[in-house]
Amino acid sequence: MNRKPYPSDLTDLQWDNIEHLFPPPKPGGRPRKYDNREIANAIWYALRGGGAWRLLPHDFPPWQSVYGYYRRWRLAGVWQQVHDDLVVTVRLVAGREAEPSAAILDSQTVKTTEQGGPRGYDAGKKVNGRKRQLLVDVLGLLLAVVVHPADIQDRDGAKLVLAKARGRRPRLRLIWADGGYAGPLVDWVRTHCGWLLQTILRPVGVQGFVLLPRRWVVERTFAWLGRYRRLSKDYERLTATSETMIYIAMIHRMSRQLLPAQAF
């Protein structure tokens, strides 16, 4: 890396820890001009700083190359695979089983821009945009995410993200959620997924801020994502791109969590 590092760059140790998870150069043909590390650092720069692809600094590879690799890895499922491998590593380092037995479910409504794509009006939040349905483990690590128009109710959106996790989480038995997921969804989760959905309600008669058990974990995950400015709104045309950006942000965060750098 023949440049001054940006705050969003991974250190040498952090990159060495995940380098093997990215696709190596294909044999034959013209040698690759840019290595995976610089491509990944450019993507994290855009995500962390909130800039458009075309606004990448000139000491990164050309934005067309950066976007090309990002899109290729998204379509090939590379980002999600890297993310899922890191989740297992972080859980094992924390003394947990590789697969979780409990999870927390919640949604976040964010505004969209003139970029276009699916969107809807969330009457409760009075926001025109999209919802991020997140399923996280007790450490706040992402297990599944679905982004959908904000006019879809939480109970219906929950089915999308839980169906995505079904079959991929063999030890999962219990899910905590807020009162917005109560009702028929509880029976649906039991019938279709074989899990227990338990709602955690706010104490009756209590005013002001209340730290609710379990539910604060997913709120912290939303706060982690909020540190990445490109996620402050949904700037993407495709919801699949929005979901991938969330996985990329979590890859960046977990890489730093595993090997903290004194410089940051």
Side-chain angles (χ1 to χ4, degrees):
M1 188 169 64
N2 299 319
R3 60 171 175 81
K4 185 177 180 180
Y6 290 101
S8 55
D9 289 350
L10 293 189
T11 65
D12 292 341
L13 287 177
Q14 290 166 351
W15 175 251
D16 290 344
N17 190 48
I18 65 172
E19 181 180 11
H20 66 284
L21 301 175
F22 288 86
K26 294 181 179 179
R30 185 175 62 181
R32 180 183 289 186
K33 189 174 182 180
Y34 308 107
D35 62 18
N36 286 345
R37 182 179 185 181
E38 276 299 83
I39 295 294
N41 277 331
I43 294 170
W44 284 315
Y45 179 94
L47 182 60
R48 186 71 172 82
W53 296 112
R54 288 176 172 82
L55 299 182
L56 284 173
H58 296 300
D59 48 1
F60 279 126
W63 74 266
Q64 297 93 333
S65 298
V66 174
Y67 175 77
Y69 275 98
Y70 155 78
R71 184 176 183 274
R72 195 175 308 141
W73 290 345
R74 176 178 72 82
L75 295 176
V78 172
W79 291 114
Q80 183 167 353
Q81 186 59 55
V82 173
H83 171 273
D84 291 349
D85 287 349
L86 275 177
V87 167
V88 172
T89 301
V90 173
R91 286 184 57 83
L92 293 176
V93 170
R96 302 274 181 171
E97 295 285 341
E99 286 292 330
S101 60
I104 306 98
L105 173 68
D106 204 356
S107 70
Q108 179 189 53
T109 302
V110 292
K111 295 180 180 179
T112 49
T113 67
E114 76 284 352
Q115 182 67 18
R119 71 185 70 193
Y121 184 71
D122 182 344
K125 301 290 179 61
K126 295 181 172 55
V127 171
N128 187 30
R130 295 173 181 164
K131 282 184 181 178
R132 299 164 177 162
Q133 295 280 352
L134 263 61
L135 186 69
V136 304
D137 69 2
V138 295
L139 300 178
L141 304 179
L142 188 64
L143 302 178
V145 58
V146 169
V147 177
H148 58 73
D151 57 351
I152 297 178
Q153 296 294 320
D154 278 344
R155 295 184 183 92
D156 297 323
K159 295 178 182 179
L160 301 176
V161 71
L162 295 177
K164 199 171 185 178
R166 183 179 55 197
R168 298 178 56 242
R169 303 297 173 185
R171 293 187 69 246
L172 195 58
R173 296 292 181 269
L174 174 62
I175 296 175
W176 292 290
D178 64 31
Y181 296 96
L185 180 63
V186 176
D187 292 331
W188 185 92
V189 172
R190 183 186 302 110
T191 302
H192 291 82
C193 303
W195 305 329
L196 172 63
L197 177 63
Q198 180 179 335
T199 56
I200 301 176
L201 304 178
R202 182 184 177 87
V204 178
V206 177
Q207 297 182 351
F209 173 77
V210 179
L211 184 63
L212 297 177
R214 303 299 181 182
R215 278 175 50 183
W216 67 269
V217 175
V218 67
E219 296 297 341
R220 183 182 60 180
T221 303
F222 285 128
W224 290 339
L225 297 178
R227 297 176 182 175
Y228 296 83
R229 289 194 171 188
R230 187 150 177 157
L231 298 178
S232 61
K233 292 183 179 180
D234 195 324
Y235 292 94
E236 317 305 331
R237 181 181 298 273
L238 303 176
T239 56
T241 303
S242 305
E243 294 167 6
T244 302
M245 286 296 185
I246 293 173
Y247 283 121
I248 296 173
M250 291 301 292
I251 291 171
H252 190 250
R253 193 200 174 279
M254 288 188 292
S255 297
R256 291 187 161 188
Q257 178 182 348
L258 285 168
L259 294 165
Q262 293 181 356
F264 303 108

